[in-house]
Amino acid sequence: MDTSFYHISEKAVERVAETAALTVPGVRALDAKLAGLAGRSFPRVEVRLDRATATAAVEADIATTYPSPVAAITDAVRATIIAHIRTLCGLDVSRVKVNVANVEADPAGGRVTWDDVASHTAGVVPVPVLVTPSEVSSPVVAERKDLLPIDVESSADHLRHVVVPAPPEVEHIRTPEPPAVESVETPEPIEPRVSGFVGHVPPLVHPEAPAPRPVRVPLPPRERSLVPIMVREPEVRPVRTPAPAALRPVRMEPPRRLIPPVVEHPVRVARPVVPPRQPLKQVVVQRQPLVPIRIEPAAPLRRVVPPQPDAVLHPVAPRPQPLKQITIQPVEKYYDRTR
């Protein structure tokens, strides 16, 4: 079963339709940059794909030369686009709408005739693609070479001697002299006031001076002994190249045959029961009583008397008056050239 598929975009179909339209005599290719500020490029193709039915709807705007048979050119463009899309893209074309959006004169002064358009071939023959098979060569394993000895210098020769600095001089802290304790004079006891308080009066407590604390002398830290550092020489291991493994044949299992499904418990389909048809009920419609319509007789026609024609007036031309002499005086204009 072949599971290969391909996906073609609408942009690719548009490029195929544009190239097909340019092969028709009388169709010009215009660039938007060379057409001016508000110019457009031609041909312009818009394609809409219906992937469910594998069909394409094409709308093309083209520019033709003048003079040329425009109707024959549009028919040739429609047939050429359909043939190219069917042959190269494998899609069916539902409709092709061709709009002639611009007409320009041929700069070479040529003219496209009906014979030129009729001799155009709408079909296209795809060119086969030649693929050169690549040469496959089996890998060749080179002979094993002897390992070269590696001279390793010991890092112990480059070590520098560590100079242990002399221990810093520790200054002894002198114990300060104990301060002189002054005697505290006990004030004379004050007789407590008994009157004016509520409840039990607590007894008076005499304050006592705290005992002096002993002074601690700080001791200098102990000197730590230096620990020697052991440096091991690196071990050199030989590198072994593994032998090439032999290729194993791959065995493909044959395709499994499809097993027809077996229905163990068939389900019986019951025929639906239609209830008996009920008799129709009589429907009584109550209508409103008809109202008699009375048509009044038409009014009698009046006699119309046409108006009398007006009398025709014959115009009388006035008598010619003698001509008057007209004197025209020229107007002199002065232009100041100094301004």
Side-chain angles (χ1 to χ4, degrees):
M1 181 178 179
D2 189 9
T3 59
S4 61
F5 65 96
Y6 71 97
H7 177 82
I8 186 169
S9 63
E10 296 178 354
K11 203 71 174 178
V13 182
E14 290 176 1
R15 293 292 179 267
V16 172
E18 289 178 4
T19 307
L22 290 176
T23 59
V24 178
V27 178
R28 296 198 57 189
L30 299 180
D31 192 1
K33 298 180 181 179
L34 302 179
L37 182 61
R40 300 177 62 187
S41 59
F42 294 99
R44 299 172 64 90
V45 180
E46 183 179 0
V47 176
R48 296 182 180 178
L49 295 179
D50 187 0
R51 304 188 185 280
T53 59
T55 57
V58 184
E59 183 175 0
D61 297 339
I62 63 173
T64 60
T65 58
Y66 179 85
S68 60
V70 178
I73 291 175
T74 54
D75 294 341
V77 169
R78 186 179 296 103
T80 305
I81 290 177
I82 293 175
H84 279 65
I85 292 179
R86 287 179 177 176
T87 305
L88 301 180
C89 302
L91 301 175
D92 195 6
V93 182
S94 59
R95 66 181 181 89
V96 177
K97 182 180 179 181
V98 181
N99 301 324
V100 180
N102 194 1
V103 176
E104 291 190 359
D106 191 0
R111 181 176 181 178
V112 179
T113 61
W114 287 85
D115 297 334
D116 297 336
V117 180
S119 61
H120 171 68
T121 304
V124 60
V125 179
V127 180
V129 180
L130 300 179
V131 179
T132 304
S134 57
E135 298 180 359
V136 181
S137 57
S138 58
V140 179
V141 181
E143 297 181 358
R144 183 177 181 181
K145 297 182 180 180
D146 298 336
L147 299 178
L148 300 176
I150 301 174
D151 297 334
V152 179
E153 298 181 359
S154 176
S155 58
D157 300 337
H158 302 283
L159 296 179
R160 295 179 298 177
H161 297 283
V162 180
V163 179
V164 180
E169 296 180 359
V170 180
E171 297 181 358
H172 297 280
I173 300 175
R174 297 180 180 180
T175 305
E177 297 179 358
V181 180
E182 297 180 358
S183 59
V184 180
E185 296 180 358
T186 306
E188 296 180 358
I190 301 175
E191 296 180 1
R193 189 178 59 178
V194 180
S195 62
F197 294 96
V198 178
H200 178 70
V201 179
L204 297 178
V205 179
H206 297 280
E208 297 181 359
R213 297 180 180 179
V215 180
R216 297 180 180 179
V217 179
L219 299 177
R222 299 179 179 178
E223 297 181 359
R224 298 180 180 179
S225 57
L226 299 178
V227 179
I229 300 174
M230 302 297 294
V231 179
R232 298 181 178 179
E233 295 183 358
E235 298 179 359
V236 180
R237 298 179 181 179
V239 180
R240 297 180 180 179
T241 304
L247 299 178
R248 295 180 301 174
V250 179
R251 183 179 180 183
M252 299 294 295
E253 297 182 0
R256 299 180 180 179
R257 300 180 61 184
L258 299 178
I259 302 174
V262 179
V263 181
E264 297 180 357
H265 304 285
V267 179
R268 300 184 62 184
V269 180
R271 186 174 184 181
V273 180
V274 181
R277 186 176 182 181
Q278 299 293 334
L280 300 178
K281 296 181 180 180
Q282 184 178 3
V283 180
V284 180
V285 179
Q286 297 180 0
R287 295 183 178 180
Q288 298 293 335
L290 300 178
V291 179
I293 300 174
R294 182 179 179 182
I295 301 175
E296 298 180 357
L301 299 178
R302 293 183 302 168
R303 186 177 182 182
V304 179
V305 179
Q308 296 293 334
D310 297 336
V312 179
L313 300 177
H314 297 279
V316 178
R319 294 180 180 181
Q321 298 292 333
L323 298 178
K324 295 181 181 181
Q325 184 179 1
I326 299 175
T327 305
I328 300 175
Q329 297 180 1
V331 180
E332 297 179 1
K333 293 185 179 180
Y334 176 74
Y335 294 95
D336 190 0
R337 298 183 179 179
T338 61
R339 293 184 180 181

